[in-house]
Amino acid sequence: MEMFTYSGAMSSKQLDIEKIFLTTYIMSFEEFKELTDHRKLLNEIILSGKATEEQLTVQINLETIILDSCEEKIEQAMKETNIRDFNTEIVTILSKRINDVYMLLFKKFKYDITLVSSYLEFCSKYKKPFSEYKIVLDDIMDSFHSDPEVYITGAHHALNECNDIESARRYISIGIKFHDDFKKLYVEEFWVEIQNLNKTGDISIQTALKKYNSIIQQFKNDIHIHIDLVDTIFNEKIKMSQLHCIIIRDMIDKQKENELMWQKLSKIHLNGYVYNYDTEIIQKVQDPNRIDCIKNCICTYNKALKEAKSIMNKRKLWELFLDDVIEIYSSISDTDNQTNKVFINKLADQTFSQAYRSGIMKMPRHFIFWADRNHYDKDRELAVLKRGLTVSNNDVDLWSKLFKYYINRDFLRNAMAVLFESVSIIKEKSLPLWEIMEFYVLNTEEDMVEKFYRQASIIVKIEEINLRFRPEYLEWRVLTFDIESGRQIFSILKFLEPKCHDLYKRMLRFETLNIDANGKRHIKVHEKIVQRSM
């Protein structure tokens, strides 16, 4: 590549055009002179070989801002004057400057995925012919091997912006050569063939099928990559073809004992597709009814549960099933008609009731959802939460839910029992419950505040809880009674381990306020606290 300069490659006519346009529409003569001087200085730095990556990147951003301003001005002038042949040569001049800086960056420094992406966006925006910068992109793909995402970016650009499938294939192939363990490259390789199939029709189906079979063979029993391939072809922009049927058939045949396969199939049904197990054909339903889609999804899970061969397999299926029911329930919107709402509510209740009664439910989030659905029946809600804690007694959310159940009903004794039981099991994770209790007693149980703070600050031997509430205990004593009361509790708390620095800071603040209010006779107390806190 030729040595880059800002003006060496520009004719005097082009430089004049730039000067006239910029000083007429964008900037003052003084600002243009400052810009010109800056460019000259950068040229000197470049020629000396001392230009940094940051300097060149900043210059690209600067020139891009100027170019954007010029384009806005041209668009505005064409609208106001109705002149369609407005001179736009300034765009060509400035875009060439920006391109030259990119070329220098790519020549001197390591390729960076962000930089490559911004360059390709630049080329697309200013409609540069692919032939003009293909050599640059080819060089990037051939020489940069540290980031596999670069090959994906290059392939997407070659295919989507330039309709050059051969370059896209080659870029992905180079990426796989240097990153053969990066599965996303294989999925993108299939995506290239799927897009080509979408454009050419069944002419290219054998090529896409061959690529698909190669990937499946290489990653045998890898459900995750199979699901990625399914997601790729079930993109809404891809026309239905025989390949859809083949991929779904293979997924069912090869992964029928994997719970994730059944979840994927159920979600495909939920999205308006129907798979016939006998004919092995999948079709997209036109204008599908939402309730029918949900029923197909549920039927898929029921089939999976019926065919499950082990208790563990069945339990995992139920977990996915309940998660998807929650997702369907959460999707209810104001626009849903009443029939849909009634159906989805009934579905949630029936499914969770079955799972709860059969003892299948094991995940805390499922107990919490089911407890919320039973909030109208306080006995059932309480029973669900207690059952959840017998299954998973180390879950903070379940403890919090049970604690709030009692607090919201002013069952203080029960709430305190839950609080002490939780701290014995989940230790410092019970802190959120203590914070709720603090708020509760401060607002509703004044005679309980002192007892609460003594428990949280002194009696309960959990460091995170002690350190959180000792300063609050001190502040409550000072604000409720007086500074002397605060000093009394401070004299107890300061000797407790671990040392609480916030306790000293809080006491210093109160002593300072006390000095301001009562004069210098309290300064000695203040000095003692300072010395002990150091």
Side-chain angles (χ1 to χ4, degrees):
M1 187 181 72
E2 295 179 0
M3 177 59 70
F4 162 82
T5 63
Y6 269 111
S7 58
M10 302 285 180
S11 67
S12 58
K13 179 184 176 182
Q14 289 175 319
L15 293 173
D16 287 341
I17 290 172
E18 181 183 47
K19 179 179 180 180
I20 292 169
F21 191 97
L22 293 182
T23 55
T24 301
Y25 298 107
I26 306 301
M27 60 186 67
S28 66
F29 283 99
E30 290 76 13
E31 289 171 327
F32 180 76
K33 183 178 183 306
E34 185 178 343
L35 173 64
T36 303
D37 291 343
H38 172 74
R39 287 170 171 172
K40 288 179 180 178
L41 177 60
L42 183 58
N43 270 337
E44 292 173 5
I45 296 172
I46 291 170
L47 291 171
S48 70
K50 296 181 179 180
T52 66
E53 184 176 4
E54 182 180 4
Q55 286 175 315
L56 297 178
T57 303
V58 168
Q59 194 62 33
I60 287 173
N61 293 334
L62 172 62
E63 300 288 358
T64 301
I65 291 171
I66 296 172
L67 176 54
D68 289 343
S69 299
C70 290
E71 285 201 303
E72 289 176 9
K73 190 62 188 178
I74 290 171
E75 185 179 353
Q76 178 186 349
M78 292 174 72
K79 285 181 180 178
E80 293 175 352
T81 62
N82 290 323
I83 300 176
R84 299 200 173 187
D85 59 346
F86 194 91
N87 189 344
T88 58
E89 193 173 350
I90 182 67
V91 174
T92 304
I93 294 169
L94 288 171
S95 63
K96 185 181 185 310
R97 287 186 185 281
I98 295 170
N99 190 75
D100 286 345
V101 185
Y102 272 118
M103 294 302 98
L104 183 64
L105 262 171
F106 292 146
K107 184 177 181 180
K108 285 196 64 177
F109 301 101
K110 290 182 179 180
Y111 295 118
D112 172 84
I113 181 62
T114 304
L115 192 62
V116 171
S117 298
S118 67
Y119 176 66
L120 295 179
E121 288 175 12
F122 163 76
C123 292
S124 296
K125 181 177 180 180
Y126 295 102
K127 297 179 174 57
K128 291 176 66 65
F130 188 45
S131 57
E132 287 188 12
Y133 63 91
K134 183 177 183 300
I135 188 171
V136 178
L137 194 54
D138 285 346
D139 183 56
I140 293 171
M141 298 299 122
D142 289 331
S143 59
F144 180 74
H145 308 308
S146 65
D147 186 349
E149 292 287 350
V150 167
Y151 305 102
I152 295 170
T153 298
H156 280 195
H157 183 82
L159 188 65
N160 300 329
E161 302 294 332
C162 311
N163 199 30
D164 186 340
I165 187 170
E166 292 305 324
S167 290
R169 285 169 173 161
R170 193 173 79 82
Y171 297 160
I172 293 294
S173 178
I174 296 171
I176 290 174
K177 178 181 177 182
F178 291 96
H179 302 275
D180 60 355
D181 60 342
F182 191 65
K183 294 180 183 180
K184 187 177 178 182
L185 278 169
Y186 296 90
V187 176
E188 293 296 335
E189 187 178 32
F190 182 58
W191 174 235
V192 168
E193 299 304 334
I194 290 303
Q195 290 191 82
N196 188 51
L197 174 64
N198 207 42
K199 293 176 182 177
T200 61
D202 288 344
I203 296 173
S204 306
I205 193 167
Q206 289 304 318
T207 304
L209 182 58
K210 183 178 179 181
K211 185 60 62 180
Y212 160 75
N213 284 328
S214 173
I215 296 171
I216 290 299
Q217 186 65 26
Q218 184 168 349
F219 297 96
K220 286 182 179 179
N221 301 321
D222 189 329
I223 182 62
H224 299 289
I225 200 166
H226 207 138
I227 287 174
D228 286 342
L229 296 176
V230 169
D231 287 339
T232 297
I233 198 168
F234 277 85
N235 185 295
E236 61 182 12
K237 296 179 182 178
I238 302 302
K239 301 170 189 173
M240 291 293 290
S241 71
Q242 182 187 355
L243 197 55
H244 287 73
C245 300
I246 293 172
I247 290 179
I248 291 299
R249 180 202 65 199
D250 282 357
M251 184 179 76
I252 294 171
D253 289 347
K254 297 177 187 296
Q255 307 286 349
K256 64 172 55 179
E257 295 184 10
N258 193 302
E259 307 84 29
L260 294 177
M261 185 284 289
W262 290 105
Q263 183 187 45
K264 171 50 63 176
L265 186 59
S266 70
K267 289 195 172 184
I268 288 173
H269 285 150
L270 186 62
N271 288 331
Y273 295 87
V274 176
Y275 181 74
N276 187 307
Y277 296 94
D278 296 324
T279 63
E280 298 180 339
I281 292 175
I282 189 163
Q283 295 177 307
K284 175 71 173 176
V285 179
Q286 296 299 319
D287 301 319
N289 178 281
R290 190 178 184 199
I291 290 179
D292 289 339
C293 292
I294 295 173
K295 285 180 178 178
N296 287 335
C297 169
I298 301 308
C299 284
T300 307
Y301 272 116
N302 287 333
K303 179 178 175 61
L305 288 165
K306 185 177 180 181
E307 296 182 10
K309 294 182 178 180
S310 69
I311 296 297
M312 184 59 68
N313 188 237
K314 185 171 290 190
R315 181 171 294 166
K316 289 180 179 178
L317 278 168
W318 267 107
E319 287 177 9
L320 297 174
F321 189 9
L322 295 177
D323 281 342
D324 284 347
V325 169
I326 291 175
E327 187 176 324
I328 292 170
Y329 175 81
S330 301
S331 69
I332 298 177
S333 66
D334 294 336
T335 59
D336 276 306
N337 61 48
Q338 191 59 31
T339 301
N340 285 359
K341 290 179 180 178
V342 169
F343 174 79
I344 294 172
N345 275 290
K346 187 177 180 180
L347 166 68
D349 288 341
Q350 288 179 341
T351 308
F352 271 81
S353 181
Q354 181 184 353
Y356 179 75
R357 288 198 309 269
S358 62
I360 291 292
M361 272 169 45
K362 299 295 179 183
M363 303 303 291
R365 62 181 179 274
H366 296 151
F367 284 102
I368 289 173
F369 175 84
W370 188 228
D372 287 340
R373 288 290 297 157
N374 285 275
H375 65 89
Y376 54 86
D377 182 342
K378 65 179 189 300
D379 292 334
R380 170 60 75 86
E381 181 183 4
L382 180 60
V384 170
L385 292 172
K386 286 185 174 180
R387 170 85 71 82
L389 283 169
T390 62
V391 173
S392 178
N393 69 353
N394 62 349
D395 185 79
V396 178
D397 292 332
L398 270 175
W399 281 109
S400 296
K401 198 76 178 176
L402 180 61
F403 182 70
K404 290 175 184 176
Y405 172 89
Y406 288 124
I407 282 291
N408 292 337
R409 292 167 174 77
D410 292 324
F411 295 162
L412 186 57
R413 181 174 295 180
N414 300 85
M416 289 296 291
V418 170
L419 185 65
F420 291 127
E421 188 179 0
S422 71
V423 78
S424 68
I425 295 173
I426 58 176
K427 312 298 182 184
E428 70 278 357
K429 292 180 182 178
S430 68
L431 179 58
L433 280 68
W434 289 86
E435 291 174 335
I436 295 171
M437 181 60 89
E438 178 191 33
F439 181 81
Y440 178 82
V441 296
L442 284 172
N443 286 277
T444 62
E445 302 286 341
E446 291 184 11
D447 58 331
M448 287 283 296
V449 177
E450 180 92 32
K451 182 179 179 181
F452 167 80
Y453 277 129
R454 286 187 63 81
Q455 288 282 350
S457 301
I458 303 172
I459 298 174
V460 171
K461 303 301 182 184
I462 302 293
E463 179 177 326
E464 288 79 4
I465 295 173
N466 298 157
L467 295 180
R468 167 68 176 79
F469 289 106
R470 283 172 191 168
E472 304 304 324
Y473 188 8
L474 170 65
E475 182 163 321
W476 175 78
R477 285 286 289 261
V478 172
L479 297 179
T480 303
F481 302 106
D482 52 31
I483 186 67
E484 187 58 40
S485 179
R487 287 173 183 155
Q488 290 173 7
I489 198 62
F490 175 73
S491 67
I492 296 172
L493 298 177
K494 68 182 180 181
F495 291 113
L496 299 178
E497 294 293 339
K499 294 295 183 185
C500 180
H501 297 295
D502 284 342
L503 178 70
Y504 285 89
K505 291 178 182 178
R506 199 77 60 96
M507 193 67 223
L508 282 170
R509 180 160 61 85
F510 287 128
E511 291 292 359
T512 301
L513 293 171
N514 190 53
I515 290 170
D516 292 339
N518 299 295
K520 296 183 178 180
R521 68 179 185 275
H522 296 282
I523 289 180
K524 287 186 178 180
V525 177
H526 182 277
E527 290 175 343
K528 287 181 180 179
I529 296 172
V530 172
Q531 290 171 358
R532 290 172 181 169
S533 66
M534 295 176 65

